[in-house]
Amino acid sequence: LPRIVVAGNGQLGQMLQQAGAPMQLKVMPVEPNQDIEVALHADDVITVEVEHWPDTVTGLQLKNHPNFRNASALHAVIDRQRQKSLLDQLQVPTAPWVDLDSEASLTEKLESLGERAVVKRRRGGYDGRGQWRWQRGDEVEAEWAETCIAEAMIPFSHEVSLVGARNAKGEKVFYPLTRNWHENGILRASVAGLDVPQEQQDSAEEWLSRIMDDQNYIGVMAMECFVVDGKLLVNELAPRVHNSGHWTQEGATISQFELHLRALAELPLIKPEIKGVSVMYNLLGRTWKTEWLGIDGVHVHWYGKSLRPGRKVGHVNINRPTLAQLEESLKALKELVDDEDRIAFDWSLEQL
Ligand code: ATP
Ligand code: MG
Ligand code: MG
């Protein structure tokens, strides 16, 4: 088996490593933002957990390796202007958007989107950073010109995401749509294994297939969507394993991390089977308690990072065979978490 080298050394690389361990498939996370030569082998396969990094010695070494995967998809996705253009070109429906390319016409362009818009920095934003809410009458910021796009504010009923994988032969597999709750742009919780309208699942799979095929993509890609009147609009793409797929660690026969490795290492890609129902809850700037482990179906994933307010430091998967059992575990865990986190359990319980 080839060694899989991951650009980035956060939790995603760590969880890829864990997924490779049972097969002794070596996964080596590497920090790309440093100026040292790393020892890469000719047959290593290079993947990413971050979307971009500066042209450092290590960074260039990773990008220039002959087995660096998905350069084209990364190029398209790291700039929201290019990403939205790609989706338009592939006729994948998204929120209406405009390029804010000159200061003079900013207001006019924003007004063309309706009463309210979301201004997003073209590069570097994640977890809702680099975004502003605008409404008719608000001042515009000069810095938005040239560095941002704007999207119409979508009155969605909820958000879902599709996680899928494609291998070099063009074979593709998908998980069922996951329902996600974001607060201030950050994913708080996901629910998976609920009934999903077949029409939504089919359109989402068709669009993500189109995107992955167009880019000759290898590995896992996630597609975030808004649900409006029962129909999907694509929000954005993530060319990597994704937070909304973390439930698959215990909630599916093959996790998103193993699927990604299988696709990269040219191992068989088979459709994961779903085990019962799952909730994933992010630990944002808070630690966990050992007594949580006394609740059926609770699995703690702690990333070993230092605590900072709001920082993603771990997640908890709660996986049970039935809805009634999941409800029971969620209610029990809700009593043991910090007060500020109970809201994530209320949201999850409402979805069941
Ligand atoms: P991620 O951490 O997922 O990469 P991000 O910072 O790239 O997030 P987006 O996914 O673009 O940001 O937006 C974050 C959240 O903000 C969305 O999940 C959604 O809740 C809200 N949002 C973004 N765009 C819109 C929109 N056009 N209309 C309504 N809500 C939006
Ligand atoms: Mg994003
Ligand atoms: Mg997002």
Side-chain angles (χ1 to χ4, degrees):
L1 296 178
R3 182 173 67 167
I4 309 295
V5 175
V6 186
N9 67 355
Q11 65 265 23
L12 301 179
Q14 204 177 83
M15 291 187 275
L16 285 166
Q17 217 165 24
Q18 292 163 2
M23 297 179 279
Q24 295 284 317
L25 175 64
K26 291 216 164 47
V27 176
M28 182 173 82
V30 170
E31 169 55 60
N33 189 10
Q34 56 179 4
D35 280 314
I36 59 165
E37 284 277 335
V38 285
L40 298 182
H41 307 154
D43 63 346
D44 283 343
V45 174
I46 321 293
T47 186
V48 307
E49 66 147 39
V50 287
E51 283 142 41
H52 49 115
W53 55 82
D55 281 344
T56 54
V57 172
T58 311
L60 286 170
Q61 218 191 335
L62 293 166
K63 262 187 219 167
N64 295 333
H65 190 283
N67 295 332
F68 180 71
R69 295 287 180 255
N70 305 321
S72 147
L74 282 161
H75 175 81
V77 166
I78 58 173
D79 182 320
R80 289 189 193 270
Q81 195 271 342
R82 286 201 290 257
Q83 184 178 154
K84 296 284 283 191
S85 304
L86 173 72
L87 295 169
D88 286 353
Q89 181 205 320
L90 296 175
Q91 295 182 296
V92 173
T94 70
W97 67 286
V98 291
D99 203 352
L100 300 180
D101 45 16
S102 71
E103 206 179 318
S105 58
L106 276 187
T107 305
E108 229 168 85
K109 289 192 159 176
L110 287 164
E111 286 179 351
S112 75
L113 295 170
E115 292 301 308
R116 305 202 301 148
V118 182
V119 177
K120 299 182 179 180
R121 201 167 269 150
R122 284 171 58 169
R123 286 168 170 270
Y126 67 98
D127 284 346
R129 289 178 228 195
Q131 293 193 10
W132 300 269
R133 303 287 189 258
W134 174 90
Q135 70 180 37
R136 202 177 285 255
D138 283 356
E139 287 293 304
V140 297
E141 308 268 341
E143 72 152 315
W144 295 349
E146 274 140 40
T147 59
C148 293
I149 64 157
E151 295 174 2
M153 175 72 81
I154 303 300
F156 56 80
S157 55
H158 53 277
E159 295 185 83
V160 296
S161 58
L162 183 70
V163 174
R166 181 184 184 277
N167 65 14
K169 288 187 261 181
E171 295 165 336
K172 291 171 283 289
V173 294
F174 301 93
Y175 294 99
L177 287 169
T178 301
R179 193 177 272 220
N180 303 314
W181 175 48
H182 296 89
E183 193 186 43
N184 302 323
I186 302 191
L187 184 67
R188 293 287 306 263
S190 297
V191 180
L194 303 175
D195 288 337
V196 168
Q198 194 59 45
E199 241 180 73
Q200 287 180 11
Q201 184 74 28
D202 291 346
S203 346
E205 288 188 13
E206 208 239 300
W207 300 335
L208 188 52
S209 295
R210 217 183 282 166
I211 296 159
M212 293 197 293
D213 285 342
D214 180 71
Q215 298 294 315
N216 259 314
Y217 191 81
I218 302 175
V220 163
M221 190 186 281
M223 183 176 82
E224 299 179 8
C225 304
F226 303 126
V227 184
V228 191
D229 298 328
K231 296 247 177 336
L232 302 186
L233 280 182
V234 173
N235 170 25
E236 62 163 356
L237 303 171
R240 50 174 169 79
V241 287
H242 193 254
N243 199 168
S244 70
H246 288 1
W247 63 270
T248 63
Q249 288 172 307
E250 283 88 21
T253 49
I254 306 176
S255 73
Q256 64 164 348
F257 303 99
E258 183 176 339
L259 266 194
H260 189 62
L261 297 178
R262 285 190 183 208
L264 291 167
E266 297 182 29
L267 294 167
L269 205 58
I270 59 170
K271 190 173 171 59
E273 286 172 5
I274 306 314
K275 303 186 200 168
V277 269
S278 302
V279 164
M280 188 282 320
Y281 142 67
N282 270 333
L283 296 172
L284 301 176
R286 36 185 117 256
T287 184
W288 62 288
K289 301 194 183 80
T290 50
E291 69 247 37
W292 296 359
L293 300 180
I295 298 170
D296 286 326
V298 168
H299 301 268
V300 172
H301 295 265
W302 181 250
Y303 310 150
K305 303 199 279 195
S306 55
L307 277 180
R308 262 191 264 122
R311 187 181 198 196
K312 262 183 212 172
V313 286
H315 69 272
V316 180
N317 288 334
I318 305 112
N319 173 259
R320 298 297 306 270
T322 67
L323 277 175
Q325 288 166 307
L326 181 62
E327 191 177 331
E328 184 188 275
S329 291
L330 286 173
K331 285 182 173 160
L333 185 57
K334 182 182 163 185
E335 298 307 313
L336 303 181
V337 301
D338 290 354
D339 288 352
E340 297 87 338
D341 277 2
R342 301 223 163 108
I343 180 172
F345 289 79
D346 294 335
W347 176 82
S348 303
L349 286 162
E350 268 170 39
Q351 311 308 308
L352 307 185

